[in-house]
Amino acid sequence: MSKVAVVYWSGTGNTEAMANAVAEGARAKGAEVDLLSCAEVTGVDGYDAVALGCPAMGAEELEDGEFLPMLESIEPALSGKKVALFGSYGWGDGEWMRSWEARCSEKGIALAAESVMANEAPDDDAVRACNALGAALV
């Protein structure tokens, strides 16, 4: 059985709602899923796949108080795992996601699915996309 970690940081609940949809998608494909806030993450060694969720902050950046330090701590362990990214934004055009994807590429982290972005709260299309992202990790 595939073991998937869905790790997220959420300020308003939008990215948390996306994380729940990603977890549902992975569970529907038979995976064992741990839904974790970034503060709960101690490592990713026991997982086959990791979905990472973070909203756009400030000038379209990753949240740097909790999420970024956690990401930096697990990045070396992500190489060779199935990894996918998701998050919400309230302005801009998704630059934070493109920057995050480029960061993954630079670190040798291959993305297993197209990243999912939602403008504010995830609508039905975004929830379906999150379900599909979760399924793609299994």
Side-chain angles (χ1 to χ4, degrees):
M1 177 186 290
S2 187
K3 192 161 182 195
V4 178
V6 179
V7 178
Y8 69 93
W9 185 91
S10 189
T12 61
N14 293 340
T15 300
E16 183 176 11
M18 295 176 78
N20 285 317
V22 171
E24 281 170 26
R27 284 190 189 109
K29 291 284 274 193
E32 181 185 330
V33 180
D34 289 336
L35 186 61
L36 305 163
S37 72
C38 63
E40 297 173 293
V41 174
T42 55
V44 293
D45 288 346
Y47 296 99
D48 303 300
V50 181
L52 297 165
C54 186
M57 302 294 288
E60 289 214 55
E61 298 159 341
L62 293 172
E63 193 279 327
D64 63 4
E66 292 179 52
F67 189 84
L68 193 56
M70 179 278 307
L71 178 63
E72 288 168 348
S73 76
I74 66 168
E75 273 174 334
L78 292 175
S79 186
K81 293 186 187 298
K82 286 184 170 182
V83 177
L85 311 178
F86 64 93
S88 63
Y89 64 102
W91 62 92
D93 66 356
E95 180 186 347
W96 106 101
M97 185 62 75
R98 291 191 300 276
S99 299
W100 193 6
E101 290 168 343
R103 176 190 178 107
C104 287
S105 179
E106 289 162 14
K107 305 258 183 205
I109 299 164
L111 298 178
E114 193 170 322
S115 303
V116 177
M117 296 185 293
N119 191 336
E120 304 293 351
D123 60 12
D124 290 346
D125 287 343
V127 168
R128 277 193 295 276
C130 287
N131 290 158
L133 185 146
L137 291 173
V138 180

